[in-house]
Amino acid sequence: MAYDDQNIFARILRGELPAIKVYEDEQVLAFMDIMPQADGHTLVIPKSPAVTLLDLAPEAAAYTIQVVQKIAKAIEKGLDAKGIVLMQLSGASAGQTVPHVHFHLIPSSVHELGKHALEMGDQEKIKAFAEKIKAAL
Ligand code: AMP
């Protein structure tokens, strides 16, 4: 599928839109989900322009999952999370809404997850979770 470089995450990567970042390196960015499904809901994205996991180069996928694990450990430690759901939706038919590949890390139970929150989370609360995750990295 053709990559739309005007998608929200592409704009965050270019610094055109704000994000509450918890980790960044040359290849990957991790930031807080703005409409969290649970406290501490974090997104990890490769910087390469891929729409779904299926479009992502294997090397980029391998590196991204290493960062996913690193952030998961920080969420566990920093937020005292008892369990973390890793979710990755590939394709609008799967429910993907932002066409840049991303991994959700949600400190919750799969039995508690429903549809996405429909409203923005409390920004100050989200920033506080981000600080705890960063401190645990
Ligand atoms: P998906 O449905 O898997 O494509 O997930 C997209 C996620 O991106 C949702 O959980 C949204 O809440 C989240 N989201 C959308 N816009 C932003 C944004 N500007 N900053 C952070 N998260 C966002």
Side-chain angles (χ1 to χ4, degrees), residues 44 63-73 86 103 105:
V44 182
Y63 183 71
T64 304
I65 203 71
Q66 289 178 43
V67 176
V68 166
Q69 184 190 50
K70 181 189 186 85
I71 304 300
K73 286 181 180 177
L86 169 61
F103 295 80
L105 284 167

Side-chain angles (χ1 to χ4, degrees), residues 40-53:
H41 184 167
T42 307
L43 301 170
V44 182
I45 65 173
K47 292 189 173 178
S48 45
V51 180
T52 75
L53 180 63

Side-chain angles (χ1 to χ4, degrees), residues 2-14 16-17 49 51 97-100:
Y3 183 80
D4 171 13
D5 68 3
Q6 292 305 312
N7 78 75
I8 295 171
F9 294 170
R11 297 190 65 201
I12 286 174
L13 286 172
R14 290 196 297 270
E16 295 169 7
L17 291 174
V51 180
T97 58
V98 179
H100 181 112

Side-chain angles (χ1 to χ4, degrees), residues 9-63:
F9 294 170
R11 297 190 65 201
I12 286 174
L13 286 172
R14 290 196 297 270
E16 295 169 7
L17 291 174
I20 302 171
K21 299 180 182 182
V22 295
Y23 175 84
E24 182 166 20
D25 64 26
E26 283 185 358
Q27 298 179 60
V28 171
L29 174 67
F31 56 104
M32 305 308 288
D33 195 295
I34 208 166
M35 290 178 281
Q37 294 188 52
D39 288 347
H41 184 167
T42 307
L43 301 170
V44 182
I45 65 173
K47 292 189 173 178
S48 45
V51 180
T52 75
L53 180 63
L54 286 64
D55 303 319
L56 190 61
E59 297 76 17
Y63 183 71

